[in-house]
Amino acid sequence: MSGWKKAILIVLDSVGIGALADAANYGDTGADTLGHIVHACHPQIPNMMRLGLGNIDGVSFGGVEAPEGAYGKLKEVSAGKDTTTGHWEIAGVQLSRPFPTFPNGFPQDFITRFERATGRGTLGNKPASGTAILDELGEEHIRTGKLIVYTSADSVFQIAANEAVVPLPELYRDCEIAREMLTGELEVGRVIARPFVGEKAGAFKRTGGRRDFSAVPPTTLCDLLSRHGKTVYGVGKIEDIFCLRGITKSNHAAGNAACMEATFAAMREDFDGLLFVNLVDFDMVYGHRRDVNGYAKALETFDAQIPQLMELMGEDDLLILTADHGCDPCHTGTDHTREHVPVLVWGKHAKRGVNLGVRETYADLSATVLDFFGVENTLKGTSMLDRIL
């Protein structure tokens, strides 16, 4: 390894750990993604518990006597509770206003201009579940060739299309058109391509061809590291969330299983820098669909992979586990929830049993990673490195 070292930052998408003080402003009073799942399903997650997950201040389930990692939780300062906002704050950026949402659909004049630009009509234009809207409009889409457009409580413009009707390159082009058009008061956090297959309602299935087209971020952790010659290796939808800004290498794996295999492969490579991973299934497959049992099993699957992560780590590597928001499947609705997120940190020579407390911003993660690599922090956040190493 020649003295090279890695920071492995894994975002367990939506694994929140209790409502923030302002959760009521978002309709999320009482939300607690992880706590509710633990109490409902009692998942076996001994490795995260061993690192200190149950010892985090204010959690509703018991911890261990001698945690082996550093542990705590983070507040979100930025306005909002979406994926882009959460990841950007993890990377050192705090947003003073949320990305806009469209509970009544997008303005008709925008839809008209979008249809003209893409050469296809549209169906939907309303908040909807991504699977339900396929059953509702999928057959009409196949018959007419019109794009299914919809949103949610999050700041997203989603385009669903059957791969046999709209080839992936065309769907991605249509998303790029929407991304360029959604500016000013219409600037959503993400435009999302939602390809699917199947011929009739009840048999439609979304594919792994999903792509996220995010708003362009300001300077982030990724930019600072890459400018200082460090590798920034994105796994999963990281490259989409940051519009490839500062990302020097990427594996656009889809789903937790593929992302973890990509993570293991990346850890076997020789590079000096950040391995930035998003595990989307917690959110996309289980949280939004209110699948409590599935969510619990996914936590068990990831937990069982932690020993392999540790085994692949070099002597000077650092493992950081966190999340970007909540998506409590036991809460009302199907959307993200405004929550604290956990932070668990482990390294072969890191301190054991350190309570990091309640941190004031997700951006403390960015500051810590920059400090780890000796790069000056010109972004938000306060480093926790002196507590960890």
Side-chain angles (χ1 to χ4, degrees):
M1 299 287 286
S2 302
W4 293 353
K5 62 182 181 180
K6 301 181 179 73
I8 303 102
L9 175 55
I10 301 180
V11 180
L12 283 62
D13 201 314
S14 85
V15 183
I17 199 164
L20 284 163
D22 63 356
N25 297 337
Y26 296 81
D28 294 329
T29 301
D32 183 2
T33 300
L34 191 57
H36 287 155
I37 292 168
V38 168
H39 289 297
C41 301
H42 309 287
Q44 299 303 301
I45 47 175
N47 294 301
M48 284 189 282
M49 294 297 288
R50 184 162 52 92
L51 291 176
L53 183 66
N55 298 81
I56 294 173
D57 292 352
V59 300
S60 58
F61 48 93
V64 297
E65 195 168 308
E68 296 181 15
Y71 55 90
K73 64 183 180 182
L74 310 166
K75 298 178 183 178
E76 185 168 25
V77 171
S78 300
K81 53 177 180 176
D82 59 274
T83 292
T84 301
T85 301
H87 279 76
W88 285 12
E89 186 164 328
I90 287 169
V93 174
Q94 296 173 348
L95 299 179
S96 58
R97 67 178 184 89
F99 289 110
T101 57
F102 296 87
N104 300 311
F106 288 81
Q108 186 56 47
D109 66 323
F110 165 76
I111 294 296
T112 300
R113 290 187 291 111
F114 175 70
E115 291 176 339
R116 189 180 304 122
T118 60
R120 288 185 182 270
T122 62
L123 303 169
N125 188 28
K126 61 183 179 180
S129 159
T131 51
I133 202 165
L134 297 187
D135 287 336
E136 178 188 349
L137 299 174
E139 291 182 7
E140 184 178 355
H141 157 72
I142 291 172
R143 186 173 65 253
T144 64
K146 294 180 179 180
L147 300 170
I148 300 172
V149 299
Y150 64 105
T151 187
S152 72
D154 297 322
S155 182
V156 292
F157 181 80
Q158 304 184 84
I159 308 175
N162 190 290
E163 292 186 3
V165 177
V166 181
L168 281 177
E170 182 181 345
L171 176 58
Y172 295 156
R173 184 211 67 177
D174 293 344
C175 288
E176 289 171 347
I177 289 171
R179 181 71 276 172
E180 291 178 2
M181 294 177 64
L182 289 163
T183 59
E185 293 183 354
L186 300 180
E187 188 181 21
V188 294
R190 288 176 294 159
V191 174
I192 306 178
R194 294 286 196 178
F196 67 96
V197 294
E199 298 180 356
K200 60 182 180 179
F204 293 130
K205 183 179 179 181
R206 296 198 294 197
T207 73
R210 167 183 170 161
R211 285 282 308 277
D212 292 37
F213 299 78
S214 286
V216 178
T219 298
T220 71
L221 163 71
C222 304
D223 297 301
L224 295 188
L225 289 177
S226 60
R227 289 173 191 169
H228 283 80
K230 303 298 181 183
T231 295
V232 180
Y233 197 144
V235 171
K237 63 180 184 179
I238 294 297
E239 66 171 40
D240 292 340
I241 293 169
F242 292 95
C243 301
L244 286 171
R245 283 274 306 270
I247 308 296
T248 63
K249 189 169 184 178
S250 183
N251 185 327
H252 201 286
N256 284 11
C259 285
M260 286 305 296
E261 286 304 313
T263 299
F264 295 141
M267 291 178 70
R268 295 185 182 100
E269 297 182 27
D270 283 347
F271 68 87
D272 185 12
L274 172 65
L275 179 56
F276 201 167
V277 181
N278 174 278
L279 299 181
V280 69
D281 285 355
F282 296 112
D283 184 55
M284 182 178 72
V285 178
Y286 306 113
H288 286 299
R289 298 181 188 178
R290 297 178 62 81
D291 183 352
V292 184
N293 290 322
Y295 207 131
K297 290 175 182 176
L299 287 167
E300 291 183 336
T301 298
F302 172 73
D303 190 84
Q305 295 171 312
I306 291 176
Q308 187 174 352
L309 288 170
M310 292 176 168
E311 184 179 342
L312 289 170
M313 288 173 63
E315 291 297 310
D316 298 317
D317 293 350
L318 202 62
L319 174 66
I320 305 171
L321 307 180
T322 191
D324 55 340
H325 50 69
C327 193
D328 186 348
C330 301
H331 193 60
T332 57
T334 61
D335 296 300
H336 294 162
T337 41
R338 176 81 169 173
E339 298 186 47
H340 296 89
V341 297
V343 57
L344 300 173
V345 187
W346 186 87
K348 292 184 176 179
H349 299 297
K351 296 173 185 176
R352 304 294 188 241
V354 176
N355 185 352
L356 298 170
V358 183
R359 310 296 300 192
E360 292 301 315
T361 171
Y362 292 5
D364 285 1
L365 293 174
S366 171
T368 301
V369 172
L370 290 169
D371 196 6
F372 180 67
F373 289 110
V375 175
E376 180 185 1
N377 179 29
T378 57
L379 306 172
K380 301 293 184 179
T382 302
S383 175
M384 302 177 282
L385 196 67
D386 61 343
R387 303 278 307 279
I388 295 165
L389 297 180

